[in-house]
Amino acid sequence: MKKNELYRNHNYIYLLISNIINRCGDSLDTILFTWLVYLITNSAGWSAIIFGINQATSVMIQPFVGPFVENINKKKVLVFSDIARALLVLYILHVYTKNMLSPFILIFMTIAISFIEAFHMPAGVAVIQHVLPDEYYDKGVSVNVSCTKIAVLVGTGLSGIVISLFGIGISLAIDALIFLISALLIIKIEFSVQEEKKMDRIIGREYFVSLRDGFGYVFDHKKLLKLCFLCVLINSAVVPFDALLAPIAGEMFRGDAKIVSLLSVSVTIGTIFGSLIFARMKEEKKDNTLVTFCGIVLGIYYIFIAFVSKYIAGMIAQKLLLLVGSIIIGAALGLMITYVQVKFVKEVTKEYIGRVSAIRFSLTYACAPVVSFVISIIYKVTVVDTGSIFVGFGIVIVILFLLANKISGV
């Protein structure tokens, strides 16, 4: 690939910028919703309920929207979903200014936003195939992953500042504006004539045929099944870290939110590095062994943080080791995430990319609450501490990724 050739592709740049500001909007969205829920309910229970509804909605809807997305204009899906997100945020702003906002309205908004995202995500994956030639997928996907991770990092950091400086009302207006700008950028993308003229062909029986064909396509292609298995394994493996961030900080390291920030930011920085490293790797290195190695590193990291919390006494030394270890594991996650995304784009034809992506996203989201439930049971039926739980999960993850290397030669 010629130097800077990717960045001369105006369609890709429009998509990239749209994705970047969209992730910033998502970050602001998340902080705003979290704050609003607690502000009007003063209850952590309501936060958990809304989080669960958000996850459950995505899991249930994703596989069934794939056939719709596959057979309509992808650009229209992205534009309309961004506009719909903006309108929902404006509605929240309206009811907030009228002092009418309630937990039940937020539940409805959560379901509506999750419903919209169920269309947006598979369409976003499919668009890559329309704006990039095959030989640019590795570079294009890795740059997209790293830039959107940076956007999440920056967006999360700036969200608190924006809310504290301007208040919730103006922050909601800014959030809506972000999604409108994203929609305008997508409008500027030029698709093929065939895609631009594509109309909704999913009516009645044709929808169920398309849905059946989507699942059939996945189950008939062993490489896709193995990729789905890797996605489930990777996302299941990171659940203990995501779900137990607060106990890591409070119980294992006797710290506060600063430890949570240190872990989150360093892992995100590592993920950015990992996705950029992937783009520069030799092609023969980009195989299933890479995922196995990175998965084993993740398992060792879990054991490592338990070791640091128990045997390293100095707080400064602990933080330095956590920083270095978290950046390394973030890089491993970045490599794995970019690998599976690139592989999916390469393996699936344009006719099926929307349906297959929807199925993959659903499987990925479904594993998180299952693993979280297992963790909660462990806490309830045993007397082990958080450090011991991480040692146990670390060993299990190492074993699972070693086994995955034998059965998933993608």
Side-chain angles (χ1 to χ4, degrees):
M1 187 173 108
K2 295 180 181 179
K3 187 177 181 180
N4 295 326
E5 187 69 27
L6 179 69
Y7 305 108
R8 297 193 185 101
N9 185 326
H10 298 300
N11 289 328
Y12 174 76
I13 295 301
Y14 290 139
L15 178 64
L16 180 64
I17 297 174
S18 172
N19 287 338
I20 289 171
I21 66 172
N22 211 291
R23 293 294 79 77
C24 287
D26 286 339
S27 298
L28 181 56
D29 236 19
T30 301
I31 302 298
L32 277 168
F33 259 67
T34 302
W35 184 248
L36 280 170
V37 170
Y38 191 75
L39 189 67
I40 64 177
T41 65
N42 199 31
S43 168
W46 270 107
S47 297
I49 290 171
I50 289 179
F51 175 80
I53 290 173
N54 179 43
Q55 295 292 309
T57 303
S58 297
V59 169
M60 292 186 292
I61 292 176
Q62 281 281 353
F64 301 102
V65 303
F68 285 112
V69 173
E70 197 63 71
N71 289 273
I72 57 179
N73 187 304
K74 312 298 184 301
K75 184 164 77 172
K76 290 180 180 178
V77 173
L78 294 176
V79 171
F80 289 149
S81 61
D82 279 339
I83 292 174
R85 283 284 296 272
L87 292 175
L88 286 174
V89 172
L90 289 174
Y91 176 75
I92 295 173
L93 173 60
H94 171 71
V95 295
Y96 173 76
T97 56
K98 299 292 185 181
N99 293 319
M100 297 166 55
L101 192 60
S102 69
F104 298 103
I105 291 177
L106 286 175
I107 287 176
F108 173 77
M109 291 292 102
T110 299
I111 294 173
I113 289 173
S114 295
F115 182 81
I116 293 166
E117 288 177 342
F119 286 83
H120 191 280
M121 284 193 290
V125 174
V127 167
I128 289 287
Q129 290 187 335
H130 291 278
V131 301
L132 288 177
D134 294 1
E135 63 270 21
Y136 291 178
Y137 286 165
D138 284 31
K139 179 70 174 177
V141 172
S142 62
V143 169
N144 182 70
V145 169
S146 59
C147 287
T148 52
K149 287 293 181 182
I150 293 172
V152 170
L153 185 64
V154 173
T156 302
L158 291 179
S159 294
I161 298 174
V162 170
I163 294 170
S164 62
L165 285 178
F166 302 108
I168 289 178
I170 293 178
S171 297
L172 285 167
I174 292 172
D175 196 31
L177 180 61
I178 285 173
F179 290 115
L180 288 175
I181 293 173
S182 176
L184 291 174
L185 287 166
I186 295 298
I187 289 173
K188 294 180 71 64
I189 296 177
E190 296 177 359
F191 278 25
S192 64
V193 175
Q194 181 182 5
E195 179 66 18
E196 290 283 9
K197 292 183 177 180
K198 184 176 286 187
M199 300 297 291
D200 188 351
R201 300 196 306 270
I202 303 298
I203 302 174
R205 182 176 177 275
E206 291 184 15
Y207 166 79
F208 294 101
V209 171
S210 184
L211 180 64
R212 180 202 63 193
D213 290 347
F215 279 97
Y217 185 88
V218 173
F219 287 103
D220 289 341
H221 290 73
K222 290 184 178 180
K223 286 188 176 182
L224 289 181
L225 279 176
K226 291 172 181 178
L227 279 171
C228 286
F229 168 73
L230 287 179
C231 286
V232 171
L233 182 56
I234 292 168
N235 284 277
S236 297
V238 300
V239 169
F241 180 82
D242 291 336
L244 300 176
L245 263 178
I248 291 174
E251 182 182 327
M252 294 174 64
F253 292 95
R254 297 170 298 281
D256 52 19
K258 292 179 182 177
I259 297 292
V260 174
S261 297
L262 173 68
L263 291 168
S264 299
V265 171
S266 54
V267 168
T268 303
I269 290 172
T271 305
I272 294 165
F273 285 140
S275 59
L276 293 175
I277 290 169
F278 182 87
R280 295 181 176 275
M281 289 178 63
K282 294 181 179 179
E283 193 61 36
E284 60 268 20
K285 299 288 185 181
K286 299 173 181 178
D287 58 17
N288 188 54
T289 305
L290 173 67
V291 177
T292 302
F293 174 77
C294 292
I296 292 172
V297 170
L298 175 60
I300 293 173
Y301 170 77
Y302 282 175
I303 300 171
F304 168 78
I305 61 175
F307 174 86
V308 170
S309 69
K310 188 172 183 179
Y311 296 106
I312 304 299
M315 183 61 70
I316 294 177
Q318 284 185 345
K319 288 183 177 180
L320 284 174
L321 288 171
L322 281 178
L323 176 65
V324 174
S326 298
I327 289 175
I328 291 172
I329 195 56
L333 289 172
L335 286 168
M336 289 192 289
I337 292 168
T338 309
Y339 171 83
V340 294
Q341 289 195 11
V342 169
K343 273 290 184 179
F344 260 95
V345 173
K346 285 185 173 181
E347 292 292 336
V348 184
T349 62
K350 290 181 180 180
E351 292 75 20
Y352 286 90
I353 188 68
R355 279 170 282 181
V356 172
S357 296
I359 293 169
R360 174 171 70 100
F361 285 133
S362 182
L363 290 172
T364 299
Y365 280 121
C367 68
V370 173
V371 178
S372 297
F373 181 66
V374 171
I375 293 172
S376 67
I377 291 177
I378 293 173
Y379 269 106
K380 287 183 178 180
V381 302
T382 67
V383 292
V384 297
D385 58 16
T386 301
S388 299
I389 287 177
F390 270 95
V391 171
F393 269 106
I395 294 170
V396 170
I397 288 168
V398 169
I399 294 172
L400 288 176
F401 275 95
L402 284 172
L403 293 174
N405 189 48
K406 294 183 179 297
I407 65 175
S408 59
V410 178

